């Protein structure tokens, strides 16, 4: 069958994103190392160097990488040089150790290239060799990233264009996910869902595999769902349940053991298989087929198998019937017809283990009654009933009770408002009130009801449809067992999921082929109705009750079921560019919040709406527009907004522009500034060349866009993207400046908040000025007058581009603070009167008056210490007397003639002793 291609053929030629070999480095499969001609020899395999590498390489998507190794000793130093067909150098690396013993060289054009190797050991060159490498155009990979498998129809996979001229020169190896080889031709047919990969190569003159190409694809249905079994393995006589983990309507089929044709089971969310439909032991295959409205002509189908194991077999034979209804002298024999793990007789609490086929045993001294016999083997249980009746006619004597059999009345099942009403069994005892007990037994099941009869003339029981054995013991006498049948009342038929995971809301339509009216009660008690083919909107979490009733007068009873619904929030997902390589290969990754990504269904679609990826990682093979959609597995469909994104041609180079100042005298450094596309740059390396052209790597400057250097010479910047690929480089020369003077500044400058009449600050002549106050730029003028108290910084730049930085502090000479006590202790030098003032006061005068206004102390000073005590007064008056205890008046004058201010402060002073 022709595959449903999920990628237009006309786009295959537009694949520009790297090589297949690089692509495979990102793929989940990896390369087949046995076929890789580029695998290096182990490092220590030989001490004498030897150039080893491919003679032929194939470009598939714009480039190819060749791996070359040299061998040698760990201390050897290797120089690798590769040139293109025009002789231009495309690779040049020198270094020692294992990191340089093996190198990977990228080739981006066809033609004959040359790879040269030089090996130095200590100070001597011990090996020089070169080889030609023919790079040719490889075949176009025709394998698509995704194929739809429709139903059970096989899918055709083709590795390369069948019209490739040298197709016969290639060897093909197809493998499945288990790494099993499944084909060796360009085209194969597959019918199983899963990943597939192909390796194709040519064989060189030396017998090595060359021009190795790897590709992979996924084959599967469009819908993601899993089939679920009630039991993965069951025994004969047991029933089975088939369902899906996702509430999907669809058709069920069953293939029985030894058969190949599926038998239709009908359309349903889930199917119950009674034991009568799976009687034959062996392997059964269940099939579920659903339609995706996006691909209506391609049914999504999945299969699941289960085993029905053979049930134990035995034979029970009555050897001796009891004489009468009370005599315990009956016996029977049980014979194993297959190997049995054990046999149990329930009513006798008897257990026998390890019976081989054909072995038997006898139970004697048995009462007349029904016996339940259980047999076990191979994990299966078999149940049967043995009715050990009395002899006919019974052997009786004067003590044998007389049997008066009751009348049996049976009523079939009937219809109720919400389902089937069980049938009834009614017994009437002819002798009136009796005492005893009863058991109701079902074949294959055993006891279904039991109880005592106490002074009762009748007995009434509710029983579902089926055939039963009724065992009565009245006054110790076992009555003859009666077989009864409760007729079944048919019910309406419909299907619903047992549980539903709702993503915000879910449109639920019960599956049925009948004309029904449905009534739904949601978890909050709200009632809704709908007909066959119509749907209910489920948007609440909890228990729902669904009642189905026939819309026709056909006698079918209503049917009521309950099901659980869990309400999930809308799925939040996003995508990220996960990996890139130096040739532009890109790998995108889907990310999901608050949910294991393994529990989601992922679809990467191209701009035509075709599936091109299904996994967490996506490897685009062409530029263009794509969308990502993510749905939770085992859930109703979520209304999501697909995320669009575009795969653009990769950025493989960026401009690198350098600017440099001259080396300045203080701190004798220059500043080099790199300008480039910073969004594309992840790492920067710097290299220094002195005036004699000696090279020195500068790892201390790695990653810097601006660096300060102190040596004259040339500086080279090499920029790399976030995956370590070089995307640009440039260099610039740095020389020494002859301008060595910085700004002339004082340590502090005064300002006056009352009236600032001070002149501005002139730091000297420079090319640029930048005045900063507390980190904020306040002026770029040559002369600046500060207006605020704090720390200022001045940056000046000379005509040579040298930066000088100066700093000064300002204080407000007109806004000062004063501290003086309001009390003093006479005779205590630590608690005398004193004055402290802040910066800005140059003159002070003190007057102290007593309570009658008499001046008792005066002092004047024109040398004021900053924040140090002065005007210390111990309490001695102008007359040299000790001041009296009490309250004094203090008058303090503070002056600064430079700024023209005088402040008068008046306070009180309490004198104590």
């Amino acid at each position: 069958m022709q595959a449903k291609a999920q990628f237009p053929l006309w786009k295959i030629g537009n694949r520009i994103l790297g090589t297949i070999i690089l692509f495979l480095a990102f793929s989940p499969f990896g390369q087949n190392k046995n076929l890789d001609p580029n695998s290096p020899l182990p490092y220590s395999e030989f001490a004498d160097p030897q150039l080893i590498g491919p003679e032929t390489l194939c470009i598939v998507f714009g480039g190819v990488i060749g791996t070359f190794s040299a061998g040698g000793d760990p201390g050897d130093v290797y120089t690798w040089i590769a040139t293109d067909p025009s002789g231009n150098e495309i690779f040049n690396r020198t270094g020692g150790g294992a990191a340089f013993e093996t190198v990977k060289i990228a080739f981006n054009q066809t033609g004959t290239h040359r790879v040269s190797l030089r090996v130095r050991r200590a100070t001597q060159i011990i090996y020089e060799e070169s080889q030609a490498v023919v790079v040719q155009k490889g075949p176009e990979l025709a394998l698509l990233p995704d194929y739809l498998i429709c139903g059970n129809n096989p899918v055709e996979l083709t590795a390369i264009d069948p019209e490739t001229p040298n197709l016969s020169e290639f060897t093909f190896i197809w493998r499945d996910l288990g790494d099993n080889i499944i084909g060796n031709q360009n085209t194969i047919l597959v019918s199983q869902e899963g990943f597939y990969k192909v390796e194709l190569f040519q064989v060189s003159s030396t017998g090595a595999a060359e021009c190795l190409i790897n590709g992979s694809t996924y084959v599967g249905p469009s819908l993601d769902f899993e089939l679920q079994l009630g039991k993965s393995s069951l025994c004969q006589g047991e029933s089975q349940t088939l369902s899906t983990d996702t509430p999907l309507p669809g058709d069920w089929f069953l293939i029985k053991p030894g058969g190949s044709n599926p038998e239709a089971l009908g359309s349903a969310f889930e199917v119950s298989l009674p034991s009568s439909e799976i009687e034959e032991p062996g392997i059964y295959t269940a099939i579920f087929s659903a339609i995706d409205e996006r691909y209506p002509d391609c049914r999504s189908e999945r299969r699941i198998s289960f085993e029905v194991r053979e049930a134990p077999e035995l034979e029970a034979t009555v050897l001796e019937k009891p004489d009468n209804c009370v005599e315990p002298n009956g016996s029977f024999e049980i014979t194993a017809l297959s190997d049995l793990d054990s046999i149990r007789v329930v009513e006798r609490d008897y257990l026998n283990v390890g019976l081989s086929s054909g072995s038997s045993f006898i139970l004697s001294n048995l009462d007349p009654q029904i016996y339940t016999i259980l047999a076990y083997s191979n994990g299966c249980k078999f149940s049967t009933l043995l009715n050990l009746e009395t002899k006919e006619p019974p052997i009786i004597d004067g003590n044998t009770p007389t049997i008066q059999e009751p009348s049996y009345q049976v009523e079939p099942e009937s219809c109720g408002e919400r389902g089937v009403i069980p049938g009834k069994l009614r017994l009437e005892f002819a002798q009136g009130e009796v005492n005893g007990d009863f058991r109701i037994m079902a074949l294959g099941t055993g006891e279904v009801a039991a109880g005592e009869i106490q002074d009762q003339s009748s007995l009434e029981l509710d029983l579902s449809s089926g055939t039963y054995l009724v065992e009565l013991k009245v006054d110790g006498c076992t009555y003859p067992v009666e077989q009864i049948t409760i007729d079944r009342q048919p019910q309406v038929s419909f299907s619903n999921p047992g549980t539903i995971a709702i993503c915000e809301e879910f449109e639920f339509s019960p599956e049925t082929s009948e004309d029904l009216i449905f009534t739904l009660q949601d978890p909050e008690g709200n009632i809704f109705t709908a007909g066959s083919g119509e749907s209910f909107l489920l948007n609440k979490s909890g228990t729902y009750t669904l009642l189905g009733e026939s819309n026709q007068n056909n006698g079918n009873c209503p049917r009521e079921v309950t099901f659980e619904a869990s309400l999930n929030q809308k799925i939040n997902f996003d995508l990220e560019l996960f990996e890139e390589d130096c040739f532009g290969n890109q790998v995108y990754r889907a990310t999901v919040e608050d949910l294991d990504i393994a529990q989601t269904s992922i679809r990467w679609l191209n701009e035509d709406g075709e599936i091109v990826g299904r996994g967490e990682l996506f490897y685009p093979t062409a530029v263009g527009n794509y969308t990502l959609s993510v749905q939770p597995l085992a859930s109703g469909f979520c209304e999501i907004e697909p995320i669009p994104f575009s795969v653009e041609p990769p950025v493989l180079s960026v401009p690198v522009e350098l600017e440099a100042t001259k080396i300045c005298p203080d701190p004798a450094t220059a500043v080099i500034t790199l300008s480039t596309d910073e969004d594309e740059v992840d790492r920067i390396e710097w290299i220094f060349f002195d005036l004699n052209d000696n090279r020195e790597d500068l790892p201390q400057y790695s990653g810097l866009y601006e660096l300060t250097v102190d040596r004259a010479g040339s500086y080279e910047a090499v920029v790399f993207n976030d995956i370590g690929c070089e995307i640009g480089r440039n260099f610039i020369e740095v020389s020494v400046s002859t301008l060595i003077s910085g700004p002339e500044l004082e340590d502090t400058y005064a300002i006056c908040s009352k009236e600032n009449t001070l002149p501005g600050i002139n730091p000297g002549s420079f090319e640029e000025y930048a005045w900063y106050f507390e980190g904020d730029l306040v002026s770029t003028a040559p002369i600046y007058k500060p207006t605020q108290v704090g720390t200022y910084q001045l940056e000046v730049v000379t005509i040579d581009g040298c930066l000088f930085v100066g700093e000064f502090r300002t204080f407000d000479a007109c806004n000062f603070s004063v501290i003086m006590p309001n009390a003093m202790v006479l005779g205590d030098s630590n608690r005398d009167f004193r004055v402290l003032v802040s910066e800005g006061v140059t003159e002070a005068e003190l007057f102290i008056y007593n309570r009658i206004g008499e001046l008792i102390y005066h002092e004047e000073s024109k040398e004021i210490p900053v924040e140090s005590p002065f005007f210390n007064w111990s309490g001695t008056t102008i007359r040299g007397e000790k001041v009296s205890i009490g309250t004094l008046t203090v008058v303090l004058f503070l002056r600064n003639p430079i700024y023209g201010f005088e402040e008068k402060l008046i306070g009180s002073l309490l004198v104590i002793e």
Side-chain angles (χ1 to χ4, degrees):
M1 170 185 174
Q2 178 62 40
K4 279 190 167 289
Q6 288 299 301
F7 206 94
L9 293 177
W10 57 269
K11 282 197 170 183
I12 294 177
N14 293 332
R15 299 178 182 177
I16 48 86
L17 302 178
T19 70
I20 285 294
I21 291 178
L22 283 178
F23 166 80
L24 200 62
F26 296 139
S27 77
F29 304 113
Q31 295 185 14
N32 183 342
K33 299 301 181 184
N34 295 326
L35 298 174
D36 187 355
N38 301 330
S39 297
L41 292 174
Y43 184 76
S44 60
E45 185 163 316
F46 45 80
D48 293 331
Q50 180 182 359
L51 174 58
I52 296 177
E55 302 171 359
T56 304
L57 292 171
C58 291
I59 289 180
V60 181
F61 290 154
V64 65
I65 289 180
T67 302
F68 298 85
S69 59
D73 286 342
D76 290 347
V77 177
Y78 305 89
T79 297
W80 295 92
I81 298 175
T83 56
D84 64 16
S86 300
N88 300 312
E89 193 172 281
I90 60 172
F91 186 89
N92 189 331
R93 296 288 189 277
T94 298
F100 286 87
E101 185 274 333
T102 297
V103 296
K104 295 181 181 295
I105 303 176
F107 301 91
N108 297 316
Q109 65 182 106
T110 59
T112 301
H113 298 64
R114 183 158 292 276
V115 175
S116 302
L117 168 66
R118 184 169 67 250
V119 182
R120 175 171 58 84
R121 186 170 294 170
T123 61
Q124 304 296 318
I125 302 298
I126 65 166
Y127 182 81
E128 285 188 87
E129 187 59 85
S130 67
Q131 75 168 65
V133 179
V134 178
V135 179
Q136 61 189 23
K137 176 66 175 161
E140 198 73 45
L141 193 68
L143 188 67
L144 308 183
D146 196 280
Y147 293 85
L148 280 181
I149 186 169
C150 302
N152 195 34
N153 298 319
V155 175
E156 183 180 88
L157 305 180
T158 299
I160 61 176
D161 187 348
E163 302 300 323
T164 301
N166 57 341
L167 180 65
S168 61
E169 298 178 7
F170 285 89
T171 297
F172 300 88
I173 300 177
W174 290 91
R175 299 177 187 269
D176 60 17
L177 185 58
D179 214 33
N180 302 302
I181 295 177
I182 58 173
N184 59 6
Q185 301 297 317
N186 185 38
T187 298
I188 65 169
L189 289 176
V190 298
S191 57
Q192 298 296 318
E193 177 182 358
F195 284 98
Y196 295 90
K197 60 182 179 178
V198 64
E199 300 164 344
L200 56 140
F201 54 90
Q202 293 174 299
V203 179
S204 69
S205 58
T206 62
E210 293 187 336
C211 197
L212 175 66
I213 301 171
N214 296 275
S216 65
T217 188
Y218 185 84
V219 176
S222 63
L223 293 175
D224 276 331
F225 59 88
E226 295 295 332
L227 301 188
Q228 297 175 326
L229 298 171
K231 300 176 182 177
S232 59
S233 179
L234 62 156
C235 304
Q236 285 177 296
E238 295 181 335
S239 60
Q240 177 69 286
T241 301
L242 310 175
S243 61
T244 64
D245 66 345
T246 304
L248 289 173
D251 301 319
W252 290 93
F253 302 88
L254 185 67
I255 301 177
K256 294 184 176 180
S260 58
N261 296 323
E263 298 179 11
L265 300 177
S267 298
F269 287 101
E270 61 181 40
V271 172
S272 294
L273 296 175
S275 59
S276 59
E277 292 191 22
I278 49 175
E279 290 181 323
E280 183 181 355
I283 303 299
Y284 291 77
T285 299
I287 305 169
F288 181 74
S289 179
I291 295 178
D292 186 345
E293 60 183 15
R294 296 171 298 176
Y295 309 101
D297 60 340
C298 181
R299 297 184 71 95
S300 293
E301 180 180 294
R302 280 195 167 88
R303 300 182 172 213
I304 193 169
S305 296
F306 62 91
E307 180 185 10
V308 174
R309 301 191 304 275
E310 191 170 1
E313 293 185 58
L314 60 84
E315 182 180 61
T317 305
V318 176
L319 300 179
E320 184 70 28
K321 293 182 179 182
D323 288 346
N324 54 53
C325 68
V326 294
E327 284 295 332
N329 60 352
S331 65
F332 61 80
E333 181 181 33
I334 298 177
T335 303
L337 301 181
S338 62
D339 292 339
L340 303 179
D341 297 328
S342 64
I343 290 180
R344 181 179 173 221
V345 181
V346 176
E347 288 74 13
R348 293 294 293 244
D349 196 22
Y350 174 85
L351 178 66
N352 197 335
V353 298
L355 289 86
S356 59
S357 179
S359 61
S360 62
F361 60 90
I362 297 172
L363 293 179
S364 303
N365 302 320
L366 302 178
D367 290 319
Q369 69 176 71
I370 298 173
Y371 289 88
T372 306
I373 303 172
L374 304 178
Y376 300 87
S377 70
N378 194 30
C380 290
K381 180 180 78 171
F382 171 75
S383 175
T384 187
L385 300 178
L386 175 68
N387 181 14
L388 186 58
E389 300 175 298
T390 60
K391 294 177 180 177
E392 185 59 37
I395 300 174
I396 61 176
D397 56 29
N399 295 323
T400 304
T402 300
I403 297 176
Q404 299 183 51
E405 290 196 44
S407 63
Y408 291 84
Q409 297 177 10
V410 175
E411 293 182 9
E413 292 180 332
S414 59
C415 292
E417 291 184 357
R418 310 192 72 83
V420 174
I421 299 175
K424 291 184 180 297
L425 168 64
R426 184 176 294 106
L427 282 73
E428 295 286 345
F429 299 104
Q431 62 269 49
E433 293 182 351
V434 298
N435 292 290
D437 50 37
F438 70 91
R439 288 197 302 166
I440 310 298
M441 314 291 284
L443 293 173
T445 302
E447 181 180 283
V448 296
E452 292 184 0
I453 304 171
Q454 294 183 344
D455 299 325
Q456 294 174 236
S457 60
S458 64
L459 177 66
E460 186 173 295
L461 299 171
D462 291 336
L463 293 174
S464 300
S465 62
T467 299
Y468 302 93
L469 299 179
V470 182
E471 179 187 86
L472 285 176
K473 288 186 179 181
V474 177
D475 296 328
C477 173
T478 302
Y479 280 34
V481 172
E482 184 78 13
Q483 179 173 305
I484 65 165
T485 298
I486 304 293
D487 291 335
R488 178 180 174 273
Q489 178 64 41
Q491 266 186 301
V492 298
S493 175
F494 60 87
S495 173
N496 65 283
T499 59
I500 300 178
I502 300 173
C503 186
E504 292 190 316
E505 59 182 32
F506 176 71
E507 287 192 6
F508 164 58
S509 179
E511 283 280 313
T512 183
S513 59
E514 301 178 15
D515 183 10
L516 304 181
I517 293 294
F518 293 100
T519 302
L520 180 74
Q521 178 177 305
D522 71 12
E524 295 181 357
N526 302 307
I527 303 297
F528 307 92
T529 60
S532 297
E534 297 177 339
S535 60
F536 297 99
L537 187 65
L538 308 184
N539 54 17
K540 296 179 177 64
S541 178
T543 302
Y544 287 80
T545 301
L546 179 66
L547 175 67
E549 300 173 278
S550 178
N551 211 16
Q552 298 177 347
N553 187 18
N554 55 14
N556 288 347
C557 293
R559 177 170 171 252
E560 184 179 71
V561 296
T562 60
F563 60 91
E564 296 293 323
S566 59
L567 185 62
N568 301 322
Q569 297 301 316
K570 183 176 181 179
I571 186 170
N572 294 315
F573 64 95
D574 205 346
L575 63 85
E576 63 179 353
L577 181 57
F578 182 58
E579 286 188 21
E580 285 185 283
D581 65 19
C582 298
F583 292 97
N585 288 303
Q586 299 176 351
V587 181
Y588 288 85
R589 180 168 70 177
T591 60
V592 180
E593 294 182 12
D594 304 323
L595 186 63
D596 184 357
I597 200 163
Q599 301 302 314
T600 63
S601 171
I602 300 173
R603 292 292 183 268
W604 305 86
L605 307 177
N606 64 15
E607 56 195 13
D608 296 322
E610 298 164 326
I611 301 172
V612 292
R614 302 174 187 242
E616 177 183 2
L617 301 180
F618 172 53
Y619 314 91
T621 55
V623 296
N625 298 317
Y626 297 86
T627 57
L628 168 65
S629 297
V630 180
Q631 291 280 346
L633 289 175
S635 170
F637 180 77
C638 286
E639 289 293 338
I640 63 165
E641 198 66 38
I643 299 177
F645 66 101
S646 297
V647 176
E648 304 290 346
V651 177
L652 301 179
S653 64
V654 295
V656 178
E657 298 177 0
L658 297 174
E659 293 182 358
T661 64
K662 294 189 177 182
I663 295 178
C664 302
D666 186 14
T669 59
V671 176
I672 304 174
T673 303
L674 164 64
S675 298
T676 185
D677 187 348
E678 295 187 19
D679 291 338
E680 300 294 337
V681 174
D682 180 72
R683 180 167 57 90
I684 305 169
E685 292 183 359
W686 292 89
I687 304 167
F688 172 68
F689 298 90
D690 65 16
L691 299 178
N692 295 320
D693 211 24
N694 296 312
R695 172 183 169 137
E696 178 185 346
D697 292 334
L698 303 175
Q700 67 272 29
Y701 297 132
S702 177
L704 298 181
Y705 286 88
E706 183 177 286
L707 56 151
T708 303
V709 298
D710 59 3
R711 291 184 290 174
S714 295
Y715 292 81
E716 183 175 29
V718 185
V719 297
F720 301 84
N721 61 18
D722 56 0
I723 59 171
C725 301
E726 180 183 324
I727 54 176
R729 65 171 62 213
N730 199 358
F731 69 92
I732 194 170
E733 183 178 357
V734 174
S735 59
V736 179
S737 172
T738 58
L739 300 177
I740 60 175
S741 298
E744 299 177 1
L745 298 172
E746 300 290 340
D747 291 336
T748 59
Y749 291 92
I751 67 169
C752 184
S753 59
K754 294 179 171 44
E755 183 179 359
N756 194 355
T757 59
L758 298 176
I761 302 173
N762 185 353
S765 178
F766 297 95
E767 187 70 15
E768 298 177 11
Y769 302 82
W771 303 83
Y772 294 89
F773 174 69
E774 303 294 350
D776 295 326
L777 180 66
V778 294
S779 178
T780 57
I783 298 175
Y784 177 65
K785 180 187 291 187
T787 60
Q788 301 180 78
V789 174
T791 301
Y792 286 81
Q793 187 180 64
L794 171 63
E795 295 181 356
V796 296
V797 179
T798 67
I799 195 171
D800 280 346
C802 291
L803 175 68
F804 293 90
V805 179
E807 187 175 279
F808 59 91
R809 185 177 59 85
T810 60
F811 63 92
D812 190 346
C814 303
N815 184 17
F816 52 85
S817 60
V818 180
I819 299 174
M820 60 182 180
N822 58 9
M824 64 177 288
V825 178
L826 293 177
D828 189 341
S829 60
N830 292 323
R831 290 183 287 180
D832 59 4
F833 176 84
R834 61 186 66 185
V835 177
L836 287 88
V837 297
S838 61
E839 192 174 21
V841 177
T842 59
E843 297 180 7
E845 191 171 2
L846 174 67
F847 300 87
I848 299 178
Y849 300 90
N850 60 19
R851 285 178 291 179
I852 62 175
E854 178 185 2
L855 179 67
I856 62 172
Y857 184 76
H858 172 261
E859 187 175 354
E860 185 177 6
S861 177
K862 293 189 177 181
E863 293 184 0
I864 308 300
V866 177
E867 297 181 356
S868 294
F870 69 100
F871 283 164
N872 295 66
W873 183 53
S874 62
T876 304
T877 65
I878 296 174
R879 297 187 181 90
E881 299 172 349
K882 185 178 179 181
V883 68
S884 301
I885 295 172
T887 301
L888 306 178
T889 301
V890 177
V891 178
L892 179 66
F893 288 92
L894 302 174
R895 306 182 184 93
N896 190 325
I898 298 175
Y899 305 121
F901 72 80
E902 179 181 274
E903 297 285 341
K904 179 182 179 181
L905 303 176
I906 299 176
S908 61
L909 177 66
L910 175 64
V911 179
I912 59 178
E913 63 178 0

